[in-house]
Amino acid sequence: MEAVPARARVYIACVAAAALICLLPQPGARTPWWAVALLAALYAGCERVARSRFVGISHPAGTFYPVLLAGAFLLPAPAAALVAVPGALLSHVERRPVVLRRIWRAAQLALGVWAAARVHQVLGGRDAVVAGDCPWALGPAGAAVLAFCLVLALLDGGRLAVGLGAPTTPLRQWGKVPVRRAWRGLVARSLAPIAVHGLAGLMMAVLWRSPYGPVAALLVLLPMCVSWWAFAQYHRERAAHQATIRALVQAVDIKDGYTRGHSERVGQASMMIARELGMDDERVEVLRFAGILHDVGKLGVPTRLLRKDGPLTPEERRVIELHPEYGHEMVRGIGFLGEARAAVLHHHERLDGSGYPYGLVGRQIPEPARVVAVADAFDAMTSTRSYSRARPVEVALAELERCAGSQFDPVMVAALVEAVGRVGWRPAVTADDARTPSGPPPGAPVASRPGAHR
């Protein structure tokens, strides 16, 4: 809890308080508590099994939203909201802070289900469900699903704006997103999958009220479980790819001890730039991979060159300048990396055409490569190595701005300056020993620094 920003704790407390108010029973409402208990136990059991057996798997539309939405179609709003609470509070959480993440999840789902149930009730959807009149039940159910989606998107946007990370995001990667971009694309990405879950929830509710009873309603979950299982297999394969990436990065760190941790920091800085530019979550993740893997080609460079103190000879520099091509060869078979592969190949290109390996000019350089180039140079300048002293963050940013337009993309530089100014940056000392670096003074240009291409 100490590392969680104060604004994030206040935001969670406000959302939790609102959820508690929504759980207060409605005067005169008749609540079938046996149905509440059954749905809550079903949701909690499904969530527990999912999170414990397939750790790290998540989906933008949730795992078992049909159960929650069926509760919204069957129960009074406070009772429907209560269905989500036990499952969220008891679900498996891999990342810390565990309690905070569970409270957030429970409060968010309770508010979303409460809003869906209220909209459904106001539009007369419950009568259509009881009567089994499916065509007339679609309208209120659709409005309820839309309300559910909007509430989740509204709360998620606020989460991003205050710097509260996603449920699967490590605490060290939490960071604020500009308010003007916090809600961008949230509804569009989640509406379609939530609508599918809403249809399944409506089918559950109609069958629940039919002569066949709750047992028939549970059969609706079978095709949803098959779909979820297929989705789980996809994410297991993706997790295996990520494990391969981590192994490659660890190999680079072991071989080039002076820059240990550099890849992770470049991935973090690339992600900060991507978020500042308003890229969607998928592209942000791709840019993080690009930053992490940008130096993987160093595995093909002789270790004596990577660890050499002082300037490189022209021949040695030509050998080191092959590492982007080595890296591209290593990762081009990893399909899900997408445009990150272009960043691995072109992150040492310069806007004026004097970079390598192909001397691309301006917009010929892929956008991910322009992002990683800025992130790479920034971390290199703010880290102490065998061949250069660390520069203060402000000096490094000023140097990037000075070289913008010739070496770096000005848009990417401006995005990094803005992001660092808002969330800060923690420089690192990456040298293995305490020897005084033999490089030039901090005021030397980026391109002329010894080892700048390492």
Side-chain angles (χ1 to χ4, degrees), residues 135 139 267-268 353:
Q268 175 69 15

Side-chain angles (χ1 to χ4, degrees), residues 47-377:
E47 284 291 299
R48 189 68 182 176
V49 170
R51 304 299 176 182
S52 62
R53 294 190 61 189
F54 299 97
V55 174
I57 292 175
S58 60
H59 191 283
T63 308
F64 289 97
Y65 282 178
V67 177
L68 300 182
L69 292 170
F73 301 147
L74 290 168
L75 303 170
L82 185 59
V83 169
V85 174
L89 292 179
L90 296 175
S91 62
H92 176 83
V93 178
E94 182 183 12
R95 305 285 189 180
R96 294 193 302 172
V98 174
V99 174
L100 189 70
R101 293 179 190 270
R102 286 175 172 170
I103 291 174
W104 162 255
R105 181 68 172 165
Q108 183 189 35
L109 289 179
L111 287 173
V113 175
W114 183 89
R118 286 292 297 165
V119 170
H120 190 256
Q121 181 181 3
V122 169
L123 296 179
R126 192 165 303 162
D127 294 336
V129 169
V130 172
D133 194 348
C134 287
W136 288 104
L138 288 174
V145 169
L146 180 60
F148 181 73
C149 181
L150 289 175
V151 170
L152 295 190
L154 178 65
L155 295 176
D156 272 334
R159 168 181 62 79
L160 295 175
V162 301
L164 179 63
T168 56
T169 303
L171 184 61
R172 66 179 181 276
Q173 294 181 10
W174 286 11
K176 290 178 63 178
V177 173
V179 173
R180 65 184 182 278
R181 296 171 182 159
W183 288 271
R184 183 179 298 176
L186 292 179
V187 175
R189 288 195 298 272
S190 60
L191 183 57
I194 288 181
V196 174
H197 285 204
L199 286 174
L202 179 60
M203 292 173 62
M204 284 188 64
V206 171
L207 286 173
W208 190 292
R209 292 293 190 179
S210 72
Y212 301 104
V215 175
L218 298 181
L219 296 177
V220 176
L221 291 179
L222 290 179
M224 297 299 299
C225 289
V226 172
S227 173
W228 169 80
W229 178 85
F231 185 81
Q233 302 314 302
Y234 163 77
H235 273 268
R236 287 172 69 112
E237 181 178 354
R238 185 182 179 93
H241 280 141
Q242 293 180 358
T244 302
I245 290 173
R246 287 194 296 270
L248 288 172
V249 172
Q250 288 174 355
V252 174
D253 286 347
I254 292 172
K255 183 169 186 177
D256 188 8
Y258 285 123
T259 57
R260 185 168 295 125
H262 169 66
S263 297
E264 290 289 346
R265 293 193 300 275
V266 173
Q268 175 69 15
S270 299
M271 189 166 58
M272 291 168 61
I273 295 173
R275 284 177 174 168
E276 193 66 33
L277 295 174
M279 297 182 183
D280 59 46
D281 290 344
E282 290 185 4
R283 288 202 77 195
V284 170
E285 184 72 358
V286 168
L287 264 295
R288 187 174 75 88
F289 286 147
I292 290 174
L293 289 171
H294 75 286
D295 273 345
V296 70
K298 286 182 176 180
L299 291 174
V301 176
T303 305
R304 63 179 178 80
L305 299 184
L306 297 176
R307 293 177 174 265
K308 181 179 179 181
D309 293 339
L312 301 170
T313 66
E315 183 179 353
E316 290 172 337
R317 186 174 296 276
R318 283 193 294 271
V319 172
I320 283 187
E321 288 179 356
L322 292 173
H323 81 267
E325 295 176 276
Y326 292 156
H328 184 256
E329 286 296 315
M330 292 178 186
V331 303
R332 68 176 181 175
I334 306 179
F336 81 90
L337 286 178
E339 58 185 351
R341 292 171 290 185
V344 173
L345 180 61
H346 297 295
H347 69 278
H348 279 301
E349 304 283 2
R350 295 171 51 125
L351 263 63
D352 59 9
S354 62
Y356 63 90
Y358 300 126
L360 301 184
V361 179
R363 295 290 174 176
Q364 292 178 347
I365 306 172
E367 185 179 43
R370 286 180 269 136
V371 171
V372 174
V374 173
D376 184 22

